[in-house]
Amino acid sequence: MQAVEDCLGTIQRLQPRLKAFVTVCADEARAQAREIDRRRAAGEKLGPLAGVPVSVKDILNTKGVRTAWGSRLMEHNVPAADHVAVARLKDAGAVILGKTTTPEFAYKLLTDSPISGITRNPWNAELTAGGSSGGSAAAVAAGMGPLSLATDAGASTRLPAACCGILGLKPTLGRVPHDQVPDAFNSFIHLGLMARTVEDCELMLQAVAGPHPSDPYSFLSFEQKQSKNPRIEWRPLLGNTLLDDEVREQCEAALAVLREAGAEVREVDEPFENAEAPWRVLQQSNWAARFYAKLAEVEPKIEPGFAEGIRAGGGYTGQQLLAATVKRTELFRKVQAWFARCDLVATPTLSRPALSATHRVDEPITVNGKPAGDMRVAWAPYLNVFNLTGHPALSVPAGFTRAGLPVGLQLVARWHAEADLFAAARLIEKARPWATRFPPEAA
């Protein structure tokens, strides 16, 4: 009960400034915590997450609790059933604190929405917490709860995790089943896990992973043998040309920890096609499938940027859509070939630290003070490619810039080799600990 009360107190104190939550379930959380305490006192067997406070991104269904998708269109939506991963968290004994903020329908790399305002970074409130799971990242980073369940369709867990200095895991496609995607066979939308420590992240994955009838990819799950003294390919560029100097410095310092522990780290400098173009076609087609036919009706109630994406998705031809799926296959085979000669791929999570909290979604970014172009192409080129290929990827806190901003290192493994990601992250965590360091806005 005390853990839940502590988190609720922190939420009450920090929510007005950070806006990490859109809905707080204080009464329900207290009732769950009291019941767990009663069962513990009675000597009953409890789940592995018994009493652990957890938040849930506000696009994942929660029974009896509003799931608004950051939009006025869904502002009064109350699901009748839990998402399968939420149900598994509850079965493991987790206490649901509430729903974390997301931009409208999780469509952008920043977190602000018409119903929740701007979510701010706990390390510097003038900066974004990232998106689209910015509320989840801000909540975990600021101590509003140790775990959060999020999503990742192209960046949405790893990007805000890097901005906020926590762990963000995109498991193998299907490792955590997703029963809300309309097209399960062509999906690239993953569940995402956020935590402060490697141990907590691993426990959370164990609680929510496993087959489910709704997700065909969930039946492919198997355990990979853990690699010893892994071979790591460090790819500082992946379809981009600019990388912040301090980001590179901190990532390479974290990789030095792995090298000292026996890993073979080899830098790779070879051309790679930015995956944003095919990803954009597939993602915007998803939005169009849901809203294009009624765009005239919904457009007055949604953000212009989201409406523009829906309109673009509705304009693609069947051949363009098929070309994007063919490109997805090409990318998968290319990445698979990397793992014939290495065990892990390492990249920066982002090309630069967090942007301004009020940065416009269509505003170009700069890297090292130089114009870099489109946000998805230039800030997060390392991320959506692994949504398309399905490989597990973990953003690990690598260090801090001289201005005190977090830097993330992305580690990528073979399908179902999350154990390799955790093993490497654990070494970095031990040598360069981050979990005991709390951001200024949480003080």
Side-chain angles (χ1 to χ4, degrees), residues 255-275:
L255 287 170
V257 171
L258 301 181
R259 185 182 286 111
E260 290 164 8
E264 174 191 325
V265 181
R266 182 175 71 92
E267 182 172 335
V268 176
D269 179 15
E270 64 183 18
F272 186 83
E273 182 179 358
N274 196 298

Side-chain angles (χ1 to χ4, degrees), residues 316-333:
Y316 295 128
T317 67
Q319 286 302 308
Q320 286 175 301
L321 183 58
L322 182 59
T325 63
V326 168
K327 178 59 69 174
R328 181 182 182 183
T329 300
E330 291 175 4
L331 288 168
F332 170 78
R333 289 171 177 163

Side-chain angles (χ1 to χ4, degrees), residues 11-85:
I11 292 169
Q12 184 178 26
R13 179 168 59 88
L14 300 180
Q15 173 66 10
R17 176 68 164 159
L18 299 182
K19 291 184 171 58
F21 283 80
V22 65
T23 301
V24 179
C25 306
D27 292 341
E28 297 92 331
R30 289 187 176 105
Q32 291 176 48
R34 282 194 293 268
E35 175 61 15
I36 289 168
D37 284 353
R38 183 199 65 75
R39 292 181 59 198
R40 183 178 284 114
E44 296 182 28
K45 184 177 180 180
L46 299 174
L49 297 179
V52 176
V54 178
S55 59
V56 178
K57 184 179 181 179
D58 198 35
I59 67 171
L60 296 172
N61 287 342
T62 41
K63 182 179 180 179
V65 177
R66 182 180 69 160
T67 300
W69 290 74
S71 176
R72 290 193 297 267
L73 289 178
M74 304 284 283
E75 195 167 2
H76 305 294
N77 173 55
V78 179
D82 285 322
H83 186 285
V84 60

